[in-house]
Amino acid sequence: MRFKLIVAFVEDMQSADLIQVAREAGATGVTLINNARGEGLEPKKTFFGLNLDIQRDVLLFVVEEHLARNVLESLAARGEFDETPGTGIALQLDVEDVVGVAHQIESLTSRAEDQL
């Protein structure tokens, strides 16, 4: 079985909603890293030297390759990544090898077969 890694950088207020959307689209789990920072086209605003950043989370999904595009598109649609600047980004990477998902293989296999 082959996998993709989907990495999403999102506002912390959206994390729970986007995790649910990803699960509905085929993701079987997530690793959440909070307190990330980033900057887009526009520099960050400051107020007397204090950053006015919105807290960001990093969501990591290891997804079976046939389900990955659907998960990625679902995250982008719900997060409005293309419609609203600064809401977040998501990307997909090939995974060479993965361990620790043996308990999820059965579920992943049936979901992938249903999608095909």
Side-chain angles (χ1 to χ4, degrees):
M1 188 170 275
R2 299 181 60 94
F3 295 92
K4 302 282 187 175
L5 173 66
I6 297 176
V7 181
F9 301 90
V10 302
E11 295 178 4
D12 67 334
M13 297 175 296
Q14 287 188 309
S15 293
D17 186 40
L18 292 173
I19 290 169
Q20 182 61 37
V21 166
R23 284 188 174 277
E24 291 169 3
T28 55
V30 62
T31 298
L32 185 146
I33 302 169
N34 57 12
N35 202 20
R37 293 177 22 165
E39 187 172 302
L41 286 174
E42 299 295 323
K44 301 207 179 217
K45 294 185 174 26
T46 62
F47 181 74
F48 293 112
L50 299 173
N51 286 336
L52 301 176
D53 295 344
I54 295 175
Q55 171 104 13
R56 300 272 179 202
D57 287 343
V58 180
L59 307 177
L60 304 171
F61 302 94
V62 176
V63 180
E64 199 281 330
E65 71 177 339
H66 294 97
L67 303 173
R69 186 65 191 181
N70 188 43
V71 172
L72 185 67
E73 290 175 356
S74 297
L75 288 168
R78 180 64 64 91
E80 298 180 348
F81 297 162
D82 288 328
E83 292 81 14
T84 309
T87 55
I89 64 169
L91 54 101
Q92 172 179 284
L93 303 167
D94 289 330
V95 173
E96 180 70 26
D97 204 357
V98 64
V99 296
V101 294
H103 60 285
Q104 297 178 18
I105 294 292
E106 186 176 319
S107 173
L108 289 168
T109 301
S110 65
R111 284 187 184 187
E113 289 171 352
D114 290 343
Q115 293 290 325
L116 298 174

